[in-house]
Amino acid sequence: MADPACTAFAGKTPPRSWGRALLLTLPIALWSLFMSLRGLLQPDRSLQIASALTAAFLIALFFMMMKTSSTYRWRRWFFVALGVLFPIEFIHNVMVLRGSMGIPIEEMIAGRTPFCFLPIPLLILPAALTKTLVFPGSLLPGGGMAGAGMAAMAGLWLAITLVVGKGWCSYACFFGGIEEGMAALPKKAHWKKLDPRLRLVPWAVLLAMVLLSLALFEPAYCMWLCPFKAVSEYVAARNTVGMVQNGIFVVLFAALVIVLPLLTKKRTQCTFLCPFGAFQSIFNKTSVFDIKIDRTVCSPCVLCQKSCPTMSLTDESIKKGETLMSCMKCGACVDACPKGAAVWHIRGTQVAVKPERARLMFLYAAWAMAAMFGGTIITQDLATILQRVI
Amino acid sequence: MGGPFLVGEAFLLGLASGPACVASCGPVVVPSLLAEGAGWRLNARYLSSFLGTRFLGYLLFAAIAWELGVLVSPPPAVRTLIYGGIHVLLGVALLWYARSIGRGCAHACAASGLVSIGRVGKRGVPGAAILGLLTGVSLCPPFVAAGLRAAQLSNLAAALLFFAVFFVATTLWFVPFVGMGCVRRNASVIFVARTAMILVALYYLLAGVAMLAGRRIYG
C-alpha cells in the first residue's frame, strides 16, 4: 500500500516543462548521437543523412515521452518504423545478393544466413548436450550475412534481457512492429472476446519446438512455423513439402500479423504464437522493472485490461495488483489508466511510490537498447531507401 | 564373441546412445507425461508402461533384424516407407492421446490413473503403452546402430539379449523424467501439454505423409 506521505506521486504525472524534458532527454540524445556517429563519419551521403534522421527520430520520440509523460504512443512510432523498415531492407539485401528471398538449402547448411534471436531457446538444449549449434550460422564474428557472430549477439541479448525482461519484445524485436502497426489502424476491436487460454499457446509452441529441435537437430520453428519467413528469408522450395512449408509461413503471417491484429487490436502473433516471447517471459522474473496496479486508487474500470496488446492483464491479476508474466512493458496500460493506478515499479520498492522515477529508469535502459539495435537497423534501412531515391 | 563381452558392448552402446534416445523420444514423452496427473508414482507408472512397450518394440525389431539380417539397412525407398508409416502412426496416436486427456478420469480406467486411448473404460489401452511401442520400433540412429550389431550375431537369442541390455542402458537416461511428477498440474499445464502434443503430432503426420509420398522434407 502506498505511503500516505507519498500519495502526491501517485496518479497521472503532469506534463513537464520544455526545459526539464530536454534535460531528461540529454543522456539519450548523447547516446543516440554516439550510436549514429559511425554512419555520420562515413563518406556515403545516404548513410550520413540516414544516421542523422534516425538519431533525430529517436531523440524526438524520447523527448516527447519525457514531455508528455506518456510512453506507449511514442514508443509505438519507433516500433512500427522498425517493424516496417526491417523487412524492406532485408528483402532488398537478399534480392541484391541472390535475386530471390528463397535461400538454397546448400547455402543455408553452409551458414550463409544472418543470426536471428527467435531460435535462441531452441538452440540451448542441443548446444548443452552436444556442443553443436543447430542454427545455420557461425558462432564467431564473420559468420552469416550480418557479419556478427552468434556468441556476440546472444551475449548482448542476455545482458539486456536480464535488465529489461520481456521489455525486449517492445523495444528491440524487429518483427513485432508490423502487427503493432496493424493493431493501431482500427478505431476499435471487432473481435473482443478471445479465449484467454490462447495466451498459453506460445508456451506449447515453445515446448514442442524445443523438443523437436533437439530430436531433429534443426531449428524446428524456423523450418515450420515462423510467420516472418514470409517477409525475410525462407528455404527455397524445390518440391511439394517445401511449398507446404512456405505456405504455412504465408498463412501464419497473413492471419497473425495482418488480419487478426486488425480485428482484435492485439499483437496476436506475439500473444498467441511466438515461442521466443514465452521464453522471454521467464526473464520478467529476473528483471528489476515491472508494472503494478495500485489497488488503493484502482476503480476498477478495466481500461488497462482493454488497452493491453498482449492480454497480460486479467480480472484476477488486477485484483492482485500485478500483470501476468507475459507483460511486455510497453506502457499501454499505464497510459490508459485515468486514475494513474497502473504504474511503473522497481522490484523491492513500495508500489506507487515515485513511479515516474521507475519509468525513467526503465526507459533509459530500454531506449538505449532500442537506439543500439533498432536505431542501427533503421539507419541501414533508411540509407538503402535513400540510395535508391537520391 | 563371449557373453560378457556382448553384454558389455550392448550396455556401453546403450549408455552412450541414451541422450540421443531421450532426444528422439522427447517430443513424445515430455508433453504426454505432462498431460498425465501429478505425483512421481503416477509418472513412474507412465514411464514403466512406456518403457515396457518400448522394450517389446525393441525385441520385435531385434527378432526381425536378426531374421532378415538386412532390415536395418534396407533400400532407401523401403526405409523411407517404414519411417513414413511409423511417423503417421505416431502422429495419429498422439492426436488420439491429446483427445483422450481428461476423458478417462470419470470412467473405470481412472483406476489406473493413466490416460487411456481407444475405448474408454477397463478395455482402454494406456496411451503410454501405445506411444512406447511406436517409439520402440521407430528407426532412431542409436536403434539402427544396435540393430546393425544384432543382425551380425550368430543366433536369435544373442540378438535379443543384445537388444535387452541395450534397452536397459538407454532406459537409465529416462529415469530423471520421473521427476516431472513434481511439476504441479493445473488446467494451464494440461492445456500447454495437450497443445504441444498436437503440434508434435502434426509434424509427425506431415513428415510421415511426405515420406510415404516419396518427397524429401528439405530442399
Side-chain angles (χ1 to χ4, degrees):
Chain A
M1 187 178 292
D3 183 345
C6 301
T7 46
F9 291 103
K12 301 296 270 188
T13 309
R16 291 192 175 88
S17 67
W18 280 80
R20 195 166 164 74
L22 275 173
L23 200 64
L24 288 170
T25 308
L26 194 60
I28 284 294
L30 291 172
W31 177 252
S32 300
L33 288 169
F34 177 67
M35 285 286 115
S36 55
L37 209 57
R38 195 174 145 199
L40 289 169
L41 297 176
Q42 293 289 321
D44 183 350
R45 196 160 151 238
S46 305
L47 196 57
Q48 286 176 350
I49 297 171
S51 301
L53 282 175
T54 305
F57 179 60
L58 289 168
I59 293 166
L61 290 178
F62 195 84
F63 172 79
M64 290 312 292
M65 283 187 195
M66 297 298 104
K67 178 83 179 78
T68 63
S69 299
S70 153
T71 310
Y72 182 72
R73 59 178 162 150
W74 305 114
R75 183 204 60 86
R76 188 166 67 190
W77 279 105
F78 156 77
F79 201 57
V80 173
L82 176 62
V84 172
L85 287 171
F86 174 74
I88 294 175
E89 156 80 356
F90 196 98
I91 292 169
H92 173 266
N93 275 352
V94 292
M95 292 302 276
V96 168
L97 274 174
R98 61 168 175 264
S100 164
M101 282 167 66
I103 178 169
I105 189 82
E106 297 81 12
E107 280 195 42
M108 198 167 166
I109 291 166
R112 295 193 189 102
T113 51
F115 178 71
C116 170
F117 57 85
L118 290 182
I120 285 177
L122 316 181
L123 310 181
I124 294 171
L125 280 182
L129 289 175
T130 66
K131 297 176 186 165
T132 309
L133 276 178
V134 295
F135 188 83
S138 167
L139 189 65
L140 301 169
M145 285 195 318
M150 281 189 202
M153 293 292 287
L156 263 177
W157 158 79
L158 185 62
I160 290 165
T161 289
L162 289 173
V163 178
V164 298
K166 210 184 171 189
W168 173 282
C169 301
S170 279
Y171 295 83
C173 176
F174 38 75
F175 290 125
I178 304 175
E179 55 190 299
E180 183 151 340
M182 288 295 158
L185 291 178
K187 284 201 169 172
K188 56 181 180 181
H190 297 287
W191 285 6
K192 288 176 184 165
K193 292 202 171 173
L194 298 165
D195 188 340
R197 287 184 309 171
L198 291 174
R199 271 194 312 254
L200 298 168
V201 174
W203 290 98
V205 176
L206 177 66
L207 178 64
M209 293 302 127
V210 163
L211 293 169
L212 280 175
S213 297
L214 184 60
L216 306 172
F217 229 63
E218 65 174 27
Y221 183 71
C222 312
M223 299 303 291
W224 293 97
L225 278 183
C226 179
F228 295 101
K229 293 281 172 199
V231 287
S232 57
E233 190 176 48
Y234 47 83
V235 180
R238 290 177 184 168
N239 59 22
T240 321
V241 181
M243 296 292 282
V244 170
Q245 282 174 315
N246 293 342
I248 292 172
F249 301 148
V250 173
V251 168
L252 285 175
F253 183 82
L256 292 170
V257 182
I258 305 290
V259 178
L260 283 174
L262 283 170
L263 293 172
T264 61
K265 280 188 79 65
K266 305 285 180 200
R267 282 172 63 175
T268 46
Q269 189 276 146
C270 307
T271 313
F272 304 142
L273 181 77
C274 185
F276 182 80
F279 180 66
Q280 202 71 8
S281 299
I282 298 166
F283 293 94
N284 260 354
K285 297 288 181 190
T286 64
S287 166
V288 290
F289 303 104
D290 59 3
I291 305 263
K292 291 280 186 190
I293 311 294
D294 182 3
R295 297 292 299 143
T296 56
V297 289
C298 178
S299 18
C301 60
V302 296
L303 277 174
C304 54
Q305 199 177 336
K306 287 178 185 167
S307 69
C308 179
T310 55
M311 297 170 67
S312 296
L313 281 156
T314 61
D315 292 342
E316 294 75 33
S317 76
I318 293 172
K319 274 179 198 159
K320 285 184 191 169
E322 59 192 26
T323 62
L324 300 179
M325 69 190 286
S326 55
C327 172
M328 294 185 190
K329 299 168 192 174
C330 63
C333 55
V334 180
D335 291 358
C337 181
K339 300 203 170 181
V343 288
W344 296 88
H345 174 249
I346 297 173
R347 279 181 210 276
T349 64
Q350 259 190 313
V351 175
V353 176
K354 300 182 180 176
E356 184 58 15
R357 185 170 291 179
R359 172 178 173 263
L360 280 178
M361 288 177 73
F362 172 76
L363 279 181
Y364 278 130
W367 209 249
M369 165 183 75
M372 189 166 68
F373 279 103
T376 311
I377 293 169
I378 290 174
T379 303
Q380 288 295 331
D381 301 342
L382 285 178
T384 303
I385 294 170
L386 287 170
Q387 276 161 5
R388 290 266 160 196
V389 174
I390 297 174
Chain B
M1 189 182 286
F5 290 106
L6 186 73
V7 169
E9 184 190 346
F11 190 80
L12 284 178
L13 184 64
L15 214 54
S17 310
C21 288
V22 168
S24 179
C25 293
V28 176
V29 174
V30 175
S32 54
L33 193 51
L34 268 179
E36 298 281 355
W40 69 269
R41 276 174 196 272
L42 188 66
N43 282 238
R45 206 185 303 164
Y46 170 98
L47 280 172
S48 306
S49 181
F50 179 87
L51 293 171
T53 50
R54 183 166 161 264
F55 183 50
L56 275 180
Y58 267 41
L59 290 184
L60 184 71
F61 188 86
I64 299 170
W66 184 83
E67 189 65 35
L68 300 181
V70 291
L71 184 72
V72 287
S73 53
V78 178
R79 195 170 50 209
T80 306
L81 281 179
I82 297 172
Y83 264 116
I86 293 169
H87 270 69
V88 169
L89 286 174
L90 206 48
V92 171
L94 275 171
L95 283 178
W96 206 347
Y97 193 104
R99 185 173 168 267
S100 306
I101 294 164
R103 196 181 54 157
C105 301
H107 300 81
C109 64
S112 75
L114 296 176
V115 173
S116 287
I117 65 177
R119 293 180 68 172
V120 177
K122 283 182 180 171
R123 290 181 188 172
V125 182
I130 291 177
L131 295 179
L133 185 70
L134 287 172
T135 51
V137 294
S138 67
L139 303 174
C140 66
F143 198 65
V144 172
L148 270 169
R149 185 70 188 92
Q152 293 165 353
L153 295 172
S154 56
N155 60 61
L156 179 60
L160 291 179
L161 177 69
F162 187 88
F163 257 100
V165 176
F166 174 77
F167 166 82
V168 169
T170 60
T171 297
L172 293 176
W173 289 92
F174 285 84
V175 173
F177 282 112
V178 177
M180 281 175 68
C182 303
V183 176
R184 193 164 54 98
R185 306 300 204 276
N186 54 27
S188 300
V189 172
I190 302 287
F191 179 82
V192 167
R194 204 175 196 173
T195 312
M197 217 181 292
I198 292 170
L199 286 170
V200 172
L202 290 177
Y203 167 77
Y204 280 130
L205 278 177
L206 198 60
V209 170
M211 284 185 232
L212 289 176
R215 305 286 184 193
R216 284 194 307 167
I217 298 199
Y218 306 112

